Amino acid sequence: MATETDERDEPEAKDEGKGKKERSPSRRTSPALFVRQIITELRKVIWPTRRELVTYTTVSLVFVLIMVAIVSAVDYGLQEGVYAVFG
C-alpha cells in the first residue's frame, strides 16, 4: 500500500524536494506537516469563476433531468409491457 511518504519513480515538481532531506518510508507525517501540505495543494487549485460555476451547475442539472426522463420512460415502457404480457 503506497503512502505519501513512500519513494516513487515519478518525476518531482520543480520546487518540491529542494533543501529537504530524504524521509524514510517508515516515518509518519506529523499533523502539522500534513495540514501545511493540504494548504499548499489547495493553493495550486484553479478555482472556477462564478460564471463557470453557474454554467457547470446548470449543465449538471439539465443532464440529471434528461437522465431521469429517460429512465422514467424506459421504466414506464417496461411496466406497460409486463402488464400487456401478464395482464
Side-chain angles (χ1 to χ4, degrees):
M1 185 164 129
T3 62
E4 285 293 314
T5 57
D6 288 343
E7 293 180 18
R8 297 183 182 154
D9 292 330
E10 299 171 359
E12 292 184 355
K14 295 177 184 175
D15 59 359
E16 290 180 0
K18 291 184 180 178
K20 296 179 183 177
K21 67 177 186 176
E22 284 290 319
R23 295 176 54 93
S24 71
S26 63
R27 288 191 56 195
R28 294 180 60 123
T29 303
S30 70
L33 177 60
F34 181 70
V35 170
R36 284 196 306 269
Q37 289 174 342
I38 291 173
I39 291 170
T40 301
E41 290 301 318
L42 285 174
R43 286 188 179 141
K44 295 178 186 177
V45 173
I46 299 173
W47 298 99
T49 63
R50 180 175 297 274
R51 184 175 183 178
E52 290 172 335
L53 192 60
V54 168
T55 301
Y56 298 156
T57 303
T58 304
V59 168
S60 298
L61 289 175
V62 168
F63 175 77
V64 168
L65 290 174
I66 290 171
M67 292 308 297
V68 165
I70 290 171
V71 170
S72 297
V74 169
D75 182 51
Y76 180 75
L78 290 174
Q79 177 184 354
E80 291 299 316
V82 168
Y83 285 152
V85 171
F86 298 110

